[in-house]
Amino acid sequence: MTEAKTKPYEVAHEFSDRAILVGVDRGQRGWPIEEDMAELARLVDTAGAEIVGEVTQRLDRSNPRTFIGPGKAEEIGRLAEDTKATLVVFDDDLSPSQQANVENLMLGVKVLDRTALILDIFALHARSREGRLQVELAQMEYLLPRLRGLWRHFGQAAAAAGGALGIGTRGPGETQLETDRRLARKRIQEVRRELKAVSAARDTQRHARHRSGVYRIALVGYTNAGKSTLLNALTGAGVLVQDKLFATLDATTRQLELPEGRIVTLTDTVGFINKLPHSLVEAFKSTLDEVREADLLLHVVDTSHAMAGAQIAAVSEVLGELGVSGSPQMLVYNKTDLIDEAELLQLQRRSPDAVFVSGVSGAGLESLLERIASEAAHRDRTIDVLVPYTRGDLVKMAHEEAHIILEEHVESGTHLILRVPTARADFFAPFVRVAEED
Ligand SMILES: Nc1nc2c(ncn2[C@@H]2O[C@H](COP(=O)(O)OP(=O)(O)OP(=O)(O)O)[C@@H](O)[C@H]2O)c(=O)[nH]1
Ligand SMILES: [Mg+2]
């Protein structure tokens, strides 16, 4: 447990909140409590609060009323007073009643659970209209079951203040609660509708890419693994790169030219995290469609991170939740510039199918492109066609969207041997001389 002593003149102006972190150690093997708390600290820091204390407790089962033990909750209350904390952040999700109960034990201090904290960061980083709506949807759904807790809390406070909480006064409270709930539900419906309309334009683009048969690649991975850095390094996209969690919320798609000249698309997506709130996965459904429909997933890993292995497992879990565990995947170990040679060699031996790169130094990017090209080629068909001169449109299409292996002009038309996306091959079907599946 750390406890920062603060002197009156040490008021931190740049922070609006002073936070105490609370973690429960269940003795999980994958994520040691220290690493879990370090990640929570990064989340709190990203959210813009100053950390003034940390409390952990070894527990096999959480307390149904207060999540942590009641004694521990009181201890946190005292620590909050001593450190002038304004915020207590739990590393796990609390039920609405647990949250209300803990808040009752420490009046004047906000209690956030992991989901609320992550939602807060998302709200802070949301830029596009779609992103903001997605976050609002997740926030409203998070708040809806907590409205009751809020009102009960007020009711108890009123009773404690000597207010009579009789039959007459209970009525308006409940009515107010019902009104609030109805309003919240109405807003959820509105946001869903707006979201549908906003997403429609991107859906149209996505479907157009799909129909055109362009090979689509999505960057996925743990937050801060370097997905945006790789998109920039490979395509010069110029998207925001930050040493912060969840810097990217919107999907950005750029064209990428492979060594053989073929054009594919590369999409940067929102990062994942251990214990990612399900409501967020739901709310970001439309953005994550890019991941769902990709032909290839580049699973980017921060090689230098102490928890790289556990992060890979966490990402795989979310991919499972999205129903894309079966999609073609390539493991891309990024930030290899941060580990030493011996470590790298060992890792390469352990994961012979992975690609090792550095988005910052550029190391390994060429072999990454080659690997992508060979993956993409697997998906294409090689066709041998004789296109009559009356169908100049098809020759144009071939030049724009296919890899031309041979082109010669013969008496009856243009003889082409092409590697084309499966969806495009159909256009050439009437003129095929020899067709073979790759
Ligand atoms: N040393 C080193 N740092 C890197 C490398 N790639 C990314 N970084 C740094 O890691 C941090 C996160 O990079 P981003 O590209 O924003 O990571 P991201 O995966 O897009 O993260 P989110 O959008 O937050 O999920 C930044 O500070 C980058 O400069 C790399 O290959 N080597
Ligand atoms: Mg990013």
Side-chain angles (χ1 to χ4, degrees):
M1 189 195 307
T2 58
E3 185 180 330
K5 284 267 175 271
T6 44
K7 299 182 193 99
Y9 51 84
E10 276 185 339
V11 180
H13 292 289
E14 66 269 38
F15 297 112
S16 51
D17 269 307
R18 299 165 59 78
I20 293 174
L21 314 184
V22 183
V24 163
D25 184 2
R26 292 196 180 76
Q28 277 175 297
R29 271 181 300 126
W31 290 85
I33 186 75
E34 300 77 26
E35 293 293 343
D36 232 2
M37 295 309 279
E39 182 169 278
L40 183 65
R42 285 218 61 190
L43 285 169
V44 168
D45 183 56
T46 298
E50 183 186 9
I51 296 160
V52 296
E54 182 180 315
V55 177
T56 59
Q57 184 177 33
R58 176 83 181 85
L59 269 186
D60 289 324
R61 284 184 55 236
S62 56
N63 184 295
R65 273 188 50 77
T66 49
F67 191 76
I68 40 164
K72 207 67 176 175
E74 278 170 27
E75 182 189 320
I76 295 167
R78 283 192 299 275
L79 179 63
E81 254 175 61
D82 290 348
T83 56
K84 299 193 176 60
T86 57
L87 193 64
V88 171
V89 186
F90 282 72
D91 189 42
D92 295 273
D93 283 341
L94 306 186
S95 71
S97 71
Q98 285 171 332
Q99 190 173 7
N101 292 335
V102 174
E103 220 153 52
N104 278 341
L105 287 175
M106 36 197 94
L107 283 179
V109 180
K110 268 183 290 179
V111 175
L112 289 190
D113 64 5
R114 187 176 171 94
T115 292
L117 175 66
I118 292 175
L119 286 175
D120 192 72
I121 294 171
F122 270 62
L124 207 63
H125 292 178
R127 291 284 170 271
S128 71
R129 180 157 168 68
E130 187 179 27
R132 283 202 297 268
L133 286 168
Q134 286 172 325
V135 174
E136 186 182 351
L137 179 62
Q139 277 181 323
M140 291 299 292
E141 286 185 335
Y142 175 83
L143 279 177
L144 189 59
R146 283 169 173 78
L147 288 173
R148 176 183 284 281
L150 208 61
W151 280 101
R152 208 189 272 148
H153 180 70
F154 287 148
Q156 281 172 358
L165 205 65
I167 293 163
T169 48
R170 231 178 304 155
E174 280 301 318
T175 310
Q176 184 60 49
L177 172 62
E178 278 315 313
T179 310
D180 284 0
R181 276 204 188 136
R182 211 176 46 242
L183 286 176
R185 282 200 199 95
K186 194 161 156 261
R187 183 66 194 141
I188 286 175
Q189 276 175 359
E190 273 169 20
V191 174
R192 273 190 204 282
R193 250 197 317 273
E194 280 180 64
L195 204 48
K196 225 174 164 176
V198 172
S199 308
R202 213 166 37 71
D203 282 353
T204 309
Q205 285 172 15
R206 213 178 58 241
H207 292 143
R209 283 202 293 274
H210 186 55
R211 273 197 307 277
S212 75
V214 174
Y215 190 76
R216 294 185 293 167
I217 304 165
L219 292 157
V220 296
Y222 212 79
T223 180
N224 210 50
K227 300 174 293 298
S228 301
T229 303
L230 283 174
L231 180 78
N232 289 344
L234 293 171
T235 70
V239 298
L240 176 76
V241 164
Q242 268 185 320
D243 194 13
K244 284 194 170 170
L245 304 184
F246 302 117
T248 305
L249 295 189
D250 299 311
T252 302
T253 300
R254 288 288 179 273
Q255 289 200 334
L256 169 66
E257 188 174 344
L258 298 178
E260 50 173 14
R262 182 205 316 271
I263 302 288
V264 297
T265 63
L266 186 60
T267 301
D268 184 20
T269 60
V270 57
F272 302 157
I273 196 166
N274 189 29
K275 302 190 259 186
L276 183 69
H278 185 76
S279 56
L280 266 180
V281 178
E282 273 294 303
F284 276 69
K285 195 181 164 306
S286 155
T287 303
L288 290 168
D289 277 345
E290 299 281 354
V291 171
R292 249 184 236 109
E293 295 178 10
D295 297 304
L296 173 66
L297 302 177
L298 296 185
H299 180 165
V300 183
V301 183
D302 177 353
T303 313
S304 69
H305 201 285
M307 298 302 289
Q311 291 186 342
I312 292 174
V315 169
S316 298
E317 205 179 307
V318 182
L319 292 178
E321 212 174 313
L322 291 173
V324 297
S325 298
S327 298
Q329 263 185 58
M330 198 186 292
L331 209 52
V332 180
Y333 279 96
N334 186 36
K335 307 198 191 183
T336 50
D337 56 301
L338 296 178
I339 64 167
D340 62 41
E341 194 87 349
E343 238 180 310
L344 182 60
L345 277 172
Q346 199 184 19
L347 201 56
Q348 281 168 332
R349 262 200 302 274
R350 238 186 306 144
S351 317
D353 290 334
V355 191
F356 296 82
V357 301
S358 165
V360 165
S361 79
L365 291 185
E366 268 176 35
S367 50
L368 172 61
L369 287 176
E370 274 160 26
R371 280 289 301 277
I372 293 174
S374 89
E375 277 292 322
H378 278 305
R379 286 251 319 178
D380 286 357
R381 278 200 276 167
T382 303
I383 51 172
D384 188 338
V385 291
L386 183 62
V387 182
Y389 287 120
T390 51
R391 294 301 306 270
D393 59 323
L394 284 182
V395 177
K396 187 163 171 272
M397 183 193 284
H399 277 271
E400 278 170 1
E401 293 174 44
H403 178 59
I404 296 174
I405 298 165
L406 176 137
E407 177 171 15
E408 59 177 355
H409 299 283
V410 296
E411 202 183 326
S412 50
T414 312
H415 175 208
L416 295 161
I417 297 179
L418 307 167
R419 291 179 72 84
V420 280
T422 306
R424 273 314 196 210
D426 296 342
F427 288 91
F428 294 91
F431 313 111
V432 165
R433 284 156 38 118
V434 190
E436 56 179 48
E437 194 80 37
D438 230 44

